[in-house]
Amino acid sequence: MLIRKGILQSLKSVTNIKLGRKAFIDANGMKILYNTSQECLAVRTLDPLVNTSSLIMRKCFPKNRLPLPTIKSSFHFQLPVIPVTGPVAQLYSLPPEVDDVVDESDDNDDIDLEAENELENEDDLDQSFKNDDIETDINKLRPQQVPGRTVEELKMYEHLFPELVDDFQDYELISKEPKPFVFEGKARGPIVVPTAGEEVPGNSGSVKKGAAVKERTSPKGEEAKDDTEGHDRTLPQQLGGQNGAAASAQSFNSDLVKALDRITLQNIPSQVASGLNAGIRKDYGLPLTVLSCTKACPHVAKCGSTLFEGRTVHLGKLCCTGVETEDDEETESHSSAEQASSAEASDGPTLHDPDLYIEIVKNTKSVPEYSEVAYPDYFGHIPPPFKEPILERPYGVQRTKIAQDIERLIHQSDILDRVVYDLDNPTYTTPEEGDTLKFNSKFESGNLRKVIQIRKSEYDLILNSDINSNHYHQWFYFEVSGMRPGVAYRFNIINCEKSNSQFNYGMQPLMYSVQEALNARPWWIRMGTDICYYKNHFSRSSVAAGGQKGKSYYTITFTVNFPHKDDVCYFAYHYPYTYSTLQMHLQKLESAHNPQQIYFRKDVLCETLSGNSCPLVTITAMPESNYYEHICQFRTRPYIFLSARVHPGETNASWVMKGTLEYLMSDSPTAQSLRESYIFKIVPMLNPDGVINGNHRCSLSGEDLNRQWQSPNPELHPTIYHAKGLLQYLAAVKRLPLVYCDYHGHSRKKNVFMYGCSIKETVWHTHDNAASCDVVEDMGYRTLPKILSHIAPAFCMSSCSFVVEKSKESTARVVVWREIGVQRSYTMESTLCGCDQGRYKGLQIGTRELEEMGAKFCVGLLRLKRLTSPLEYNLPSNLLDFENDLIESSCKVTSPTTYVLDEDEPRFLEEVDYSAESNDELEVELAENTGDYEPSAQEEALSDSEVSRTHLI
């Protein structure tokens, strides 16, 4: 053992330099060391030797370039204005002959040895490292309201605030006594959206270009007009409102197959529609329109695939051998699960309407001009009736996967290396071999650039960069077909960039099966085994790495066994939520609300670069009457300003926003009290173009829009420019919002938490206690997070941070706090993985929990009003002292809102860093956060409201 260890240590030292690595490979060292290490796997005590062997082999594995013609996106969008500086300007300034894929670091001989020595001496680093990113200048930290634009310029937003001037003389208002408010400590069942009879979809046609274009008239009680004349729409508008016993899934599937190819969305015989309609369970809300199939099926008549006239849009290919019918036992086995789901389903109408979705897709503008619709977006998604626990990581899985990668070099004859999907080659045709999977991502929000078949059941996948960018690879959404059951397919996404991922801590990708949806289970589920995330041997060029050399890409790998033959399945990084889905949901909410009770407006804030409208929603309660007192009460309600989805890959933010919107439009007494308390201005999707085109972080300008709030360009960043303009207008008319919150998703943390802004806590984190004691600050910014920590099971107060960093000074949260003057300015981050505390501890998060978080945020706002109202409570001054409630942290380095919260996961079982090279930047070891507030035994006996009332800060 000691001799082997000494030999390996010598090899490790020799291979630290380029010449040593070359000599090792020339001597057939890779094969010898690989075979030797594989013989040691059966003996657990020899794991240290195996780990060291793996590290040596990874270090000696030749670096490869990505098999791409360019790291820039496959799609290009011509900008109206080219930025003078920044990454986009550099991208445009590159000469066309520059090879931006090749890595230049191979010529550096000895940088690995130097970095290796640094890593070995990491424990000797100065423990009192100072974080230079935290802003320490108190003068810069103090909020300074700057109008930015003149009052005359801001008048362009007046028409988006009719609630401030409308006298409601033309409205049919019902004067009534105010309803007594009964607070509900716990959410009772799902959110119910009130119905207003049969809905008629609004116009989804094109919108006139320009800022702040009005999309609809004020809600005055008139019925919505049907703007879809000329289109035959014989299907019922509400799928969930059907009564009567539901037929079995088998009979529904049989009828569907018979009608599959002879019916289109434009012309569906009423008798077929009604026949299919009878076979749908109320709680599932499955689409009744017929799927189009472009593959010849012997048992089905030939069909067309056009969904509507005019612009042609198709559903994705359904490689069907017929819809698989389930036997009686399987049907019975699912009946209990279906009943459980039915019990939790909303009694109100579903917000999903496949017909309406198709109508909206017609007017959605994408750079690739997508002509297909993904089945999950067409069918819709309901939360599955079962819990999905965080996946336990098997011991040695990463080592096994890396060993399989090393085999590519040792046994090259076993590697197929066959391209099966390629966006960069428009003339490329998919192979028709029966044992080869087929891939597709040419639909809204899709992202998959290239697929290479490595072995018979293993595929390397390459993601597309954000448009007008050369990086940001994380979001994926693609279709797979042609599979065989009983085969373990391995998928490797090989061009990820982040240094760590929740895929190493139990997160699974999402899968949607069309076959399952046809069998009355239309939901995304967590899928995949042997999941891990590690550094690979594909090198990033200095162009891709922002000037840094020697960096590598990372691989997400997972294995899937498909349950059905020739199914059509979709994989996604997180639950997809497209721009067209948002527009559909808004139209359904608009058509379902009671205009005598709810004031609802849907306007257009502006148009995006590609001509899509950015919706702006206003929600509050209608005044009790048009008497002066009631109108005054209506106009003086404080504003709440909400936004979401500035980063397209953070789809969970849209699901949280969906929960917020549904709750605000519900008919519960709590929701009515909330509407009577506030006026909500909501921009539910700040980056429509990025969402539509499958970007992960940027808009079509190639820039992170959440770094443009300080000086947004109206031509390059119109949604940010006008969203900020709305806030500036409210500040100018002395109607500053009480709360601003921007919904986000977090890729490397669990739970839901908030970032806020505090001068005192920022200075306190610099360890300048004297300076922090001199700061006088209202601690009200902590009230809402504290409330949410008590009422929302997914929310974690100990993960919240209120530190202001230099690198975040141009984000929405900091700019709205500093320039607009909103004290309660937040970013609310929702996990992409799951929870490690509270009721959902050990579970992966789903859309039900995300929507619940959106609803709980609303309840928190109502409690905020009740707890901070001077008329209701006279709080003692000692409760406003937050010094003992600060987050105690002994971090030696890093920023509380960037690295502490990103990298605080414990090490997984395999502690060896199987890096492609050893010259990584230092991985800082972080002490565990000691937490924020822990309730005492006395407080645990109190009710939620009492605890919230006690801990306001």
Side-chain angles (χ1 to χ4, degrees):
M1 179 77 171
L2 293 177
I3 294 175
R4 291 179 180 181
K5 186 175 181 180
I7 294 173
L8 288 175
Q9 289 296 329
S10 299
L11 286 175
K12 184 179 178 183
S13 299
V14 169
T15 54
N16 276 334
I17 59 175
K18 185 176 181 181
L19 187 61
R21 294 193 292 270
K22 184 178 184 302
F24 179 78
I25 294 175
D26 292 343
N28 202 23
M30 291 286 285
K31 185 173 183 179
I32 296 173
L33 190 57
Y34 173 80
N35 292 334
T36 304
S37 63
Q38 293 302 299
E39 294 173 357
C40 299
L41 290 178
V43 184
R44 195 71 172 262
T45 56
L46 298 180
D47 276 359
L49 300 181
V50 176
N51 293 338
T52 305
S53 300
S54 298
L55 182 59
I56 294 171
M57 288 186 287
R58 288 294 290 164
K59 191 161 43 175
C60 296
F61 200 108
K63 291 183 180 180
N64 294 336
R65 56 179 285 163
L66 282 177
L68 294 174
T70 174
I71 58 174
K72 291 183 290 188
S73 173
S74 298
F75 309 120
H76 175 72
F77 181 83
Q78 185 60 45
L79 297 176
V81 178
I82 307 300
V84 179
T85 59
V88 180
Q90 297 175 4
L91 201 67
Y92 273 82
S93 64
L94 283 177
E97 66 275 7
V98 170
D99 186 351
D100 59 2
V101 184
V102 69
D103 180 66
E104 304 89 346
S105 64
D106 287 342
D107 296 331
N108 300 326
D109 289 336
D110 301 321
I111 58 174
D112 288 345
L113 178 60
E114 184 178 336
E116 180 76 12
N117 293 332
E118 290 179 359
L119 285 173
E120 292 178 353
N121 297 327
E122 181 180 339
D123 293 336
D124 299 329
L125 292 176
D126 183 9
Q127 298 296 318
S128 60
F129 183 89
K130 184 178 180 180
N131 183 3
D132 293 331
D133 192 30
I134 296 180
E135 182 61 74
T136 57
D137 189 337
I138 295 182
N139 293 326
K140 291 183 179 179
L141 283 173
R142 295 187 186 280
Q144 299 176 356
Q145 295 188 34
V146 180
R149 284 183 263 177
T150 65
V151 176
E152 291 299 320
E153 291 176 317
L154 294 174
K155 284 184 177 179
M156 64 184 295
Y157 301 110
E158 278 184 346
H159 71 283
L160 294 176
F161 296 90
E163 64 273 8
L164 295 179
V165 295
D166 204 329
D167 58 8
F168 293 91
Q169 296 301 316
D170 297 331
Y171 288 73
E172 296 179 5
L173 301 176
I174 300 178
S175 180
K176 59 184 181 301
E177 292 296 327
K179 296 180 180 179
F181 170 70
V182 180
F183 178 76
E184 303 173 15
K186 296 182 179 179
R188 297 182 297 124
I191 302 168
V192 179
V193 181
T195 180
E198 181 158 311
E199 303 126 30
V200 181
N203 182 18
S204 59
S206 59
V207 184
K208 295 181 180 180
K209 194 169 184 65
V213 182
K214 187 174 181 180
E215 189 177 74
R216 63 178 298 272
T217 58
S218 301
K220 297 188 178 182
E222 298 99 4
E223 296 182 359
K225 296 181 180 180
D226 188 352
D227 295 322
T228 58
E229 296 180 3
H231 297 280
D232 296 330
R233 298 172 60 85
T234 60
L235 294 181
Q237 297 298 324
Q238 293 190 31
L239 305 178
Q242 302 299 324
N243 298 319
S248 68
Q250 179 175 349
S251 63
F252 162 63
N253 294 334
S254 177
D255 290 342
L256 186 59
V257 169
K258 293 178 182 178
L260 181 65
D261 251 346
R262 64 174 183 268
I263 305 172
T264 66
L265 293 179
Q266 281 295 90
N267 186 18
I268 300 180
S270 58
Q271 65 270 22
V272 176
S274 60
L276 294 179
N277 201 29
I280 298 292
R281 290 184 61 88
K282 173 182 175 181
D283 51 308
Y284 288 122
L286 279 172
L288 308 184
T289 49
V290 177
L291 316 179
S292 63
C293 177
T294 57
K295 182 176 181 179
C297 302
H299 62 285
V300 179
K302 184 178 180 181
C303 70
S305 58
T306 302
L307 297 185
F308 42 74
E309 297 175 1
R311 176 184 163 193
T312 304
V313 177
H314 308 271
L315 283 172
K317 180 182 292 186
L318 179 60
C319 301
C320 55
T321 56
V323 179
E324 293 185 6
T325 57
E326 301 177 341
D327 54 33
D328 294 338
E329 293 182 2
E330 289 178 331
T331 304
E332 291 176 1
S333 67
H334 288 292
S335 61
S336 60
E338 292 175 2
Q339 290 174 2
S341 177
S342 177
E344 296 183 10
S346 172
D347 294 331
T350 175
L351 290 185
H352 190 82
D353 183 340
D355 286 347
L356 178 58
Y357 186 85
I358 293 297
E359 292 295 324
I360 291 173
V361 168
K362 286 195 303 182
N363 299 293
T364 299
K365 302 176 180 65
S366 63
V367 174
E369 298 183 351
Y370 293 130
S371 61
E372 297 181 25
V373 175
Y375 278 102
D377 304 323
Y378 176 76
F379 280 144
H381 159 80
I382 63 171
F386 47 82
K387 301 297 183 181
E388 297 179 289
I390 292 175
L391 190 67
E392 184 176 351
R393 181 188 179 95
Y395 180 81
V397 61
Q398 179 171 299
R399 184 174 60 194
T400 301
K401 296 301 180 183
I402 290 176
Q404 293 174 4
D405 290 349
I406 294 173
E407 289 176 2
R408 299 188 188 189
L409 182 65
I410 299 174
H411 305 295
Q412 297 185 22
S413 59
D414 297 337
I415 304 304
L416 299 177
D417 199 25
R418 177 171 57 176
V419 177
V420 296
Y421 182 74
D422 191 358
L423 279 184
D424 295 300
N425 186 1
T427 62
Y428 179 80
T429 56
T430 304
E432 293 298 331
E433 288 84 349
D435 59 348
T436 302
L437 295 179
K438 285 110 181 137
F439 295 83
N440 181 35
S441 64
K442 299 175 182 177
F443 45 79
E444 186 175 348
S445 295
N447 189 326
L448 182 64
R449 179 171 187 170
K450 190 172 186 177
V451 181
I452 303 171
Q453 186 177 15
I454 302 300
R455 299 180 179 94
K456 185 175 180 180
S457 58
E458 181 178 356
Y459 297 84
D460 280 358
L461 285 63
I462 302 176
L463 304 179
N464 197 20
S465 302
D466 286 3
I467 294 178
N468 276 322
S469 173
N470 56 20
H471 56 137
Y472 298 118
H473 313 105
Q474 187 167 340
W475 166 256
F476 57 87
Y477 183 19
F478 58 88
E479 172 193 296
V480 180
S481 59
M483 65 283 294
R484 297 289 181 267
V487 177
Y489 293 95
R490 178 183 172 184
F491 299 97
N492 311 307
I493 301 175
I494 63 174
N495 64 330
C496 302
E497 295 173 321
K498 291 194 174 183
S499 60
N500 201 359
S501 169
Q502 283 292 320
F503 283 114
N504 274 336
Y505 305 102
M507 186 171 80
Q508 296 172 278
L510 276 299
M511 191 188 85
Y512 191 105
S513 166
V514 172
Q515 197 68 255
E516 289 292 298
L518 294 177
N519 287 324
R521 292 183 288 276
W523 47 59
W524 287 95
I525 60 172
R526 302 280 183 169
M527 181 63 74
T529 57
D530 294 340
I531 301 171
C532 57
Y533 185 94
Y534 59 91
K535 184 174 292 185
N536 59 38
H537 58 273
F538 292 101
S539 58
R540 297 169 62 186
S541 69
S542 61
V543 175
Q548 302 180 55
K549 294 184 178 182
K551 295 180 71 67
S552 292
Y553 287 103
Y554 291 78
T555 292
I556 299 172
T557 182
F558 57 94
T559 301
V560 175
N561 286 274
F562 296 98
H564 303 290
K565 180 181 179 181
D566 288 332
D567 195 0
V568 178
C569 294
Y570 293 78
F571 289 95
Y573 180 67
H574 199 67
Y575 301 92
Y577 192 101
T578 66
Y579 169 79
S580 297
T581 298
L582 170 67
Q583 294 285 33
M584 175 187 65
H585 285 166
L586 291 179
Q587 289 198 30
K588 296 287 283 185
L589 288 172
E590 181 179 14
S591 62
H593 84 284
N594 181 356
Q596 292 184 331
Q597 184 180 16
I598 302 175
Y599 182 96
F600 178 92
R601 286 180 55 90
K602 182 163 74 75
D603 298 296
V604 175
L605 174 64
C606 63
E607 279 199 347
T608 64
L609 290 176
S610 63
N612 294 293
S613 62
C614 180
L616 170 68
V617 176
T618 305
I619 300 175
T620 188
M622 292 293 286
E624 293 187 29
S625 72
N626 53 16
Y627 291 137
Y628 175 79
E629 293 81 2
H630 291 157
I631 298 299
C632 284
Q633 190 278 335
F634 176 89
R635 293 179 181 175
T636 55
R637 295 170 187 167
Y639 274 93
I640 303 292
F641 200 107
L642 307 177
S643 60
R645 206 66 184 281
V646 69
H647 295 145
E650 297 169 4
T651 58
N652 48 356
S654 283
W655 288 101
V656 176
M657 179 59 74
K658 179 176 182 285
T660 294
L661 289 169
E662 288 188 45
Y663 190 89
L664 290 175
M665 297 295 290
S666 69
D667 56 358
S668 71
T670 308
Q672 177 61 21
S673 179
L674 186 65
R675 291 190 296 266
E676 292 172 354
S677 301
Y678 300 112
I679 299 174
F680 289 85
K681 284 289 182 183
I682 303 174
V683 185
M685 191 171 285
L686 280 167
N687 192 351
D689 286 344
V691 171
I692 293 167
N693 293 284
N695 285 5
H696 171 65
R697 196 167 184 86
C698 300
S699 68
L700 292 186
S701 69
E703 299 168 293
D704 182 348
L705 290 183
N706 202 36
R707 297 296 186 275
Q708 310 302 324
W709 278 79
Q710 273 189 323
S711 303
N713 186 309
E715 294 184 275
L716 294 176
H717 325 117
T719 59
I720 305 302
Y721 180 83
H722 293 295
K724 185 178 181 180
L726 294 180
L727 290 161
Q728 289 174 323
Y729 176 82
L730 287 174
V733 298
K734 309 302 181 183
R735 296 298 305 273
L736 211 59
L738 178 67
V739 171
Y740 170 77
C741 190
D742 191 20
Y743 292 1
H744 282 253
H746 207 286
S747 65
R748 289 188 282 182
K749 273 285 293 180
K750 290 183 172 68
N751 310 311
V752 182
F753 50 93
M754 276 181 159
Y755 296 146
C757 301
S758 164
I759 301 175
K760 193 161 190 174
E761 294 198 39
T762 301
V763 175
W764 183 84
H765 269 273
T766 65
H767 305 290
D768 189 352
N769 296 325
S772 63
C773 292
D774 295 336
V775 176
V776 178
E777 186 177 37
D778 184 354
M779 303 310 153
Y781 62 87
R782 276 183 162 257
T783 309
L784 184 57
K786 275 294 184 183
I787 293 172
L788 293 177
S789 69
H790 289 287
I791 66 174
F795 195 89
C796 179
M797 185 69 189
S798 63
S799 294
C800 295
S801 175
F802 306 92
V803 174
V804 179
E805 300 162 297
K806 299 174 184 177
S807 61
K808 304 295 180 67
E809 62 182 7
S810 58
T811 61
R813 164 178 61 98
V814 177
V815 170
V816 173
W817 170 72
R818 180 181 291 168
E819 294 186 18
I820 308 299
V822 179
Q823 181 198 27
R824 295 181 176 91
S825 179
Y826 306 104
T827 296
M828 187 164 72
E829 301 274 359
S830 300
T831 179
L832 292 163
C833 178
C835 297
D836 58 11
Q837 53 87 46
R839 185 194 307 169
Y840 302 133
K841 181 178 182 179
L843 297 177
Q844 295 187 76
I845 202 161
T847 56
R848 180 185 287 109
E849 292 76 29
L850 292 170
E851 291 184 50
E852 179 193 61
M853 186 65 237
K856 292 293 187 181
F857 182 83
C858 296
V859 176
L861 291 173
L862 191 57
R863 289 197 177 188
L864 176 67
K865 174 179 172 57
R866 299 177 66 205
L867 294 174
T868 57
S869 173
L871 299 179
E872 297 186 40
Y873 303 105
N874 186 14
L875 297 175
S877 59
N878 64 321
L879 289 182
L880 297 179
D881 182 9
F882 88 121
E883 291 292 339
N884 295 327
D885 198 39
L886 282 175
I887 301 177
E888 299 287 343
S889 174
S890 58
C891 301
K892 68 179 181 182
V893 64
T894 68
S895 147
T897 58
T898 302
Y899 303 103
V900 171
L901 294 174
D902 283 355
E903 305 290 354
D904 68 344
E905 290 284 2
R907 282 187 178 272
F908 43 88
L909 293 176
E910 302 165 72
E911 295 188 359
V912 175
D913 177 22
Y914 300 107
S915 299
E917 61 280 312
S918 59
N919 61 324
D920 285 309
E921 59 272 27
L922 296 181
E923 294 289 341
V924 181
E925 295 293 334
L926 300 174
E928 288 189 4
N929 194 328
T930 58
D932 190 84
Y933 158 75
E934 293 294 337
S936 63
Q938 179 182 2
E939 290 165 354
E940 287 179 350
L942 299 176
S943 65
D944 282 346
S945 60
E946 290 171 324
V947 173
S948 299
R949 191 179 309 167
T950 305
H951 294 275
L952 285 181
I953 55 175

